[in-house]
Amino acid sequence: QVQLVESGGGLVQAGGSLRLSCVLSESIFSINSMGWYRQTPGKQRELVAVITSVGTTNYADSVKGRFTIFRDNVKNMVFLQMNMSKPEDTAVYYCNADLSLPYSTRRINYWGQGTQVTVSS
C-alpha cells in the first residue's frame, strides 16, 4: 500500500533553518512529481514547492530564495530545506506525490500525515 511519511518538523526561531523529509513506500506507481504543501487552521492548503520526475522545480513566491526542494530518486524521498524562516511559515506541512499507473494515463495524488512547523519571532 502506498504511504507517505513526513519527518523533520519542529520549532525554530525566525531566521533559522529546518529540513523536512518525506519517504514514499514501494509501489507499482511511477512518480510524476513530489512536492510540499502547507496549511494553517481555517486556510486552504497551498503549494510550497514541487519537483518533477525530470528535476524541474517550482516554488511559491513567498518562499523563493529561502526554501529548496530536492529529491533522492533511489530512496523515493523528497526534502524541503527551509532557510531564513519567518513566522508566516508556521503551518502543517504535507508531502504530496503525484503518481501514475504503469502504461496508463491515470494519475493519483497521495498525501502524508503532515508535520508541524512553528517559527517563533
Side-chain angles (χ1 to χ4, degrees):
Q1 183 174 341
V2 174
Q3 288 184 321
L4 290 172
V5 181
E6 304 105 328
S7 62
L11 176 65
V12 64
Q13 291 186 341
S17 297
L18 205 64
R19 179 177 292 185
L20 306 183
S21 301
C22 173
V23 59
L24 170 68
S25 65
E26 183 180 2
S27 73
I28 63 172
F29 296 96
S30 61
I31 302 173
N32 301 308
S33 66
M34 297 186 73
W36 290 94
Y37 293 70
R38 65 188 181 188
Q39 187 170 25
T40 56
K43 303 292 185 180
Q44 293 184 328
R45 190 172 299 182
E46 64 177 356
L47 172 70
V48 176
V50 62
I51 184 166
T52 71
S53 60
V54 296
T56 303
T57 58
N58 286 291
Y59 297 90
D61 288 341
S62 60
V63 306
K64 288 181 179 178
R66 301 188 298 116
F67 292 5
T68 302
I69 186 170
F70 59 99
R71 66 186 186 183
D72 184 332
N73 290 334
V74 175
K75 296 182 178 180
N76 289 332
M77 295 186 70
V78 65
F79 306 87
L80 184 69
Q81 180 66 43
M82 305 168 59
N83 296 328
M84 298 178 287
S85 61
K86 302 177 180 180
E88 308 93 88
D89 297 322
T90 296
V92 176
Y93 284 70
Y94 295 90
C95 180
N96 170 264
D98 178 16
L99 309 175
S100 293
L101 289 169
Y103 309 104
S104 175
T105 59
R106 183 184 179 188
R107 299 173 69 168
I108 302 175
N109 274 294
Y110 283 86
W111 296 91
Q113 81 285 352
T115 185
Q116 177 71 47
V117 172
T118 301
V119 183
S120 64
S121 60

